[in-house]
Amino acid sequence: MMFFDICDFTAFSEKRDPEEIVNYLNSVFEFIIEIINKHGGIINKFLGDGFMAVFGAPLSSREDAQNAVNASLEILKKLEDLESKKLILSTIIGIGLHAGVAVTGNVGSSLRKEYTIIGDVVNLASRIEQLNKQFNSQILMSSDVYVRLSQKLGEDLGEVKVKGREEPIKIFKLA
C-alpha cells in the first residue's frame, strides 16, 4: 500500500483560485499516475491532494514491495527534475508504504458502491505517511516493506509509536 500526500497543501490552496489548484493537481498527478502504472500499481482513491495506491491487487507478485519503493523513488526524482527546470511549483510530498494482507471489493449500499481496499495494512500505510512530518522525510516504509526488498534501502529509524496502535512499528526512511 502507498499513501501519497502533498505537504502544506492547505496553505498553498489558501492563496489560489480553485481553477489554479485543480490545474496544479492535474499537472502533478499526470506524471505520478504514469509512474504508478509503470510499476504495476493502481491508484484506488484520490484523497484531495493525495491518493491511496495499491501494488499487488487484485493479484499479488513477489515484487509488489519493490515496485512500490521504485515508484516512490521515481516520483521524488521526477518532482525534483521538474522543479529544477521550473516546470512545476516547488512540491514537498509525503509517501507512506506498508505491506500486508487486505481485502478488495465493493463497499457501500445499493445506491452507491465503490471498489476499495480494506485492512490494517491500509490504515497503517496512512499512519506511516503522516509520520513524514515528524521525521522531516518524504518517503517512509515499514519493516514489512523493507524485508521484501531485493536490495535493502533506507535508514533504520527504529520503532515508532503510531496513533491508534498498541504496539510500535519499525520504520525506515528512504528520502
Side-chain angles (χ1 to χ4, degrees), residues 23-40:
N23 289 335
Y24 165 75
L25 286 174
N26 285 337
S27 70
V28 172
F29 288 154
E30 180 73 29
F31 68 85
I32 291 176
I33 291 168
E34 289 177 20
I35 292 170
I36 297 290
N37 291 344
K38 177 176 124 181
H39 290 281

Side-chain angles (χ1 to χ4, degrees), residues 8-150:
D8 300 322
F9 191 74
T10 302
F12 171 87
S13 299
E14 181 181 19
K15 301 174 184 117
R16 291 175 171 77
D17 293 327
E19 293 82 11
E20 185 180 356
I21 296 165
V22 169
N23 289 335
Y24 165 75
L25 286 174
N26 285 337
S27 70
V28 172
F29 288 154
E30 180 73 29
F31 68 85
I32 291 176
I33 291 168
E34 289 177 20
I35 292 170
I36 297 290
N37 291 344
K38 177 176 124 181
H39 290 281
I42 300 167
I43 295 180
N44 174 253
K45 196 177 288 358
F46 284 98
L47 308 162
D49 61 310
F51 59 79
M52 176 176 83
V54 62
F55 294 79
L59 299 172
S60 180
S61 76
R62 293 179 184 249
E63 301 299 318
D64 300 329
Q66 188 69 56
N67 289 340
V69 166
N70 293 345
S72 299
L73 293 171
E74 187 173 337
I75 288 167
L76 188 58
K77 184 176 186 231
K78 182 75 171 184
L79 277 169
E80 290 169 351
D81 180 53
L82 293 173
E83 285 175 29
S84 72
K85 295 175 181 173
K86 307 274 191 242
L87 296 174
I88 63 168
L89 297 171
S90 178
T91 302
I92 305 297
I93 62 167
I95 294 177
L97 303 172
H98 184 50
V101 177
V103 172
T104 62
N106 291 321
V107 172
S109 74
S110 60
L111 298 175
R112 185 179 189 298
K113 289 189 187 250
E114 179 178 90
Y115 178 80
T116 193
I117 302 149
I118 303 288
D120 185 55
V121 64
V122 176
N123 299 332
L124 193 47
S126 174
R127 297 294 191 206
I128 291 169
E129 185 281 314
Q130 293 167 6
L131 290 171
N132 279 295
K133 291 176 186 151
Q134 178 181 334
F135 288 101
N136 195 27
S137 56
Q138 293 190 76
I139 306 172
L140 294 173
M141 66 180 165
S142 69
S143 60
D144 292 311
V145 172
Y146 181 83
V147 299
R148 289 172 167 85
L149 300 179
S150 54

